[in-house]
Amino acid sequence: MGTTDQGRPKIAYLGPAASYSHQAALACFSKDENDLEPQSSIKDVFASIQSSNTAYGVVPFENSTYGTVVFTLDLLVDRKSNYPDLLVSGELYLPVHHCLVGYPSKTPSRDHASGLHNQIQANTTPHRSPKSMENLEHISTIYSHPAAFGQCEDFLSHYLQGAKKHEVSSTSKAAEIVAQEGSDGKSAAISSSLAAEVHGLKILAEGIEDKDDNSTRFFILKHRRLSDEAASLLPRVPSADGEGDAEKKWKTLISFTLPHQPSGTLADALQVFKERGLNLTSIHSRPSLEHAWHYVFLIEVQGSWEREMVGRAMKEVGDEGQGKREGEGGNGGVMDQALEELGRRTKGWKWLGSWIDRAESGG
């Protein structure tokens, strides 16, 4: 499943090469042991795993500055059940430092410090200045991913306020477009320094993100059958400590919808976790499209439903033929109990994966 003819796992990521998703994939999967395959969109990454064309996929889920990547969130909601077999199996936090890349101006700036001819002067200064900056007076168009624009609003509003912004599928695609326009072009891209190197572009401004601690959390996706067929292919997500997986905290992603009932149904649903001491680390909502103002909720809960189910299965095998005492091999652990009760308080829920909490483990 999802391997080359030589048996090498194939890994899908949002391309082209040198995108932040590519860098995240390289941090998780050795290119000496895996084939990394760029995809044109996040949707294509999901489709490649669902069809078993690739073993794993790496997609951005949320940014510390800009928030959730809606494209990924909608695909996880999966309103039309196009991706019923996809699970989140891991996560990676990647520091993201943006650059404005392109071709240098052929006209020297009168004042290098204000290589800012194109920018409309403001009464205030940006919250943080770029690490370095060239003359930008020739830049009239900027390409990038919507999330990258959102992470660099301060820089753009102060230094390139008059430039037109064009959204594209990824930051590396933006760099590719600028490179294709040639050195006579008046465009630039917000992307990584690696993308600038790959496409032969110059870094016109470095460190243009609004927050110096800017980072993106990526999800590692797999087909739900992969754990049974290819357990040896688990990704090598880096960790800052040497503890075994069993000692680390886990997260579980659940989606659910609510019936149309009197107020308080969402609070009642979430209460099942509090009652059992399970901490919620995030909650998101998207329109269900069933009817107006009806939503699908996605929550992350500390704990692993998958590990509870494995433990329950092993226990049932061990108890076979010996009979079971009341309460044994039934509802499983606290996560299983919470989800059983969640089913009674909602229209339905879906398990979307369990993985090691890298925010806790330092990975």
Side-chain angles (χ1 to χ4, degrees):
M1 174 182 287
T3 59
T4 65
D5 293 339
Q6 293 74 38
R8 290 164 57 90
K10 294 191 291 184
I11 315 301
Y13 67 89
L14 176 61
S19 66
Y20 291 108
S21 294
H22 186 201
Q23 296 174 49
L26 288 170
C28 299
F29 300 93
S30 169
K31 62 181 179 181
D32 295 329
E33 301 172 356
N34 304 276
D35 276 17
L36 274 59
E37 298 191 350
Q39 306 293 318
S40 298
S41 67
I42 296 175
K43 183 178 180 180
D44 289 340
V45 175
F46 275 67
S48 71
I49 302 170
Q50 179 60 40
S51 65
S52 299
N53 184 53
T54 55
Y56 286 98
V58 180
V59 296
F61 179 66
E62 66 176 341
N63 176 263
S64 60
T65 303
Y66 190 66
T68 309
V69 179
V70 175
F71 305 106
T72 302
L73 198 61
D74 280 341
L75 290 165
L76 288 169
V77 168
D78 194 21
R79 301 177 183 91
K80 297 182 178 179
S81 297
N82 291 322
Y83 316 105
D85 298 312
L86 261 68
L87 295 175
V88 180
S89 65
E91 66 180 6
L92 175 76
Y93 291 81
L94 182 75
V96 173
H97 302 295
H98 293 297
C99 299
L100 187 74
V101 305
Y103 293 101
S105 172
K106 296 182 178 181
T107 303
S109 173
R110 293 188 298 273
D111 179 1
H112 177 72
S114 61
L116 322 167
H117 204 121
N118 192 27
Q119 57 256 24
I120 297 176
Q121 299 297 327
N123 294 326
T124 59
T125 57
H127 295 301
R128 58 187 303 268
S129 299
K131 292 182 179 179
S132 63
M133 186 159 56
E134 301 288 329
N135 175 19
L136 306 181
E137 61 184 3
H138 62 300
I139 302 300
S140 60
T141 302
I142 305 171
Y143 296 94
S144 199
H145 187 275
F149 281 128
Q151 295 162 35
C152 302
E153 288 180 350
D154 197 32
F155 171 83
L156 294 173
S157 64
H158 283 85
Y159 299 134
L160 289 165
Q161 192 173 9
K164 296 179 180 179
K165 291 183 280 190
H166 288 276
E167 296 181 353
V168 295
S169 59
S170 71
T171 55
S172 56
K173 183 64 177 179
E176 181 182 275
I177 292 172
V178 172
Q180 291 172 348
E181 290 187 356
S183 59
D184 292 332
K186 297 182 179 181
S187 61
I190 296 176
S191 67
S192 66
S193 57
L194 177 60
E197 180 180 346
V198 167
H199 294 289
L201 299 173
K202 182 177 178 60
I203 295 177
L204 304 178
E206 183 180 5
I208 64 173
E209 63 277 1
D210 292 347
K211 305 284 290 184
D212 57 8
D213 60 352
N214 188 48
S215 64
T216 295
R217 179 160 67 125
F218 291 84
F219 274 168
I220 302 166
L221 307 175
K222 70 172 185 178
H223 196 286
R224 66 173 60 247
R225 294 200 306 270
L226 184 62
S227 59
D228 296 328
E229 299 181 7
S232 62
L233 305 184
L234 289 174
R236 54 175 186 83
V237 181
S239 174
D241 57 46
E243 299 177 4
D245 289 353
E247 301 302 322
K248 298 174 185 175
K249 293 184 178 179
W250 285 65
K251 290 179 185 174
T252 290
L253 183 65
I254 302 292
S255 67
F256 64 88
T257 56
L258 297 171
H260 264 298
Q261 291 182 354
S263 61
T265 53
L266 177 58
D268 288 343
L270 299 180
Q271 185 71 15
V272 304
F273 300 102
K274 182 179 180 181
E275 291 170 350
R276 292 161 179 81
L278 294 171
N279 184 42
L280 300 183
T281 60
S282 74
I283 180 169
H284 307 276
S285 66
R286 296 295 296 156
S288 70
L289 303 186
E290 292 181 11
H291 43 78
W293 313 117
H294 185 254
Y295 298 93
V296 179
F297 295 92
L298 290 94
I299 57 173
E300 289 181 82
V301 189
Q302 284 188 331
S304 173
W305 186 65
E306 182 177 34
R307 288 164 68 87
E308 285 189 7
M309 293 303 95
V310 170
R312 172 160 49 149
M314 293 177 66
K315 179 175 179 56
E316 290 177 349
V317 170
D319 286 342
E320 186 176 354
Q322 302 177 18
K324 300 176 184 175
R325 294 187 298 272
E326 184 177 355
E328 288 189 345
N331 293 332
V334 291
M335 178 73 74
D336 192 31
Q337 295 170 20
L339 293 177
E340 184 177 358
E341 180 61 26
L342 183 67
R344 287 191 281 266
R345 302 188 188 187
T346 65
K347 288 182 65 177
W349 61 269
K350 181 181 180 182
W351 174 62
L352 294 174
S354 298
W355 64 93
I356 296 173
D357 185 348
R358 295 295 166 180
E360 292 286 342
S361 68

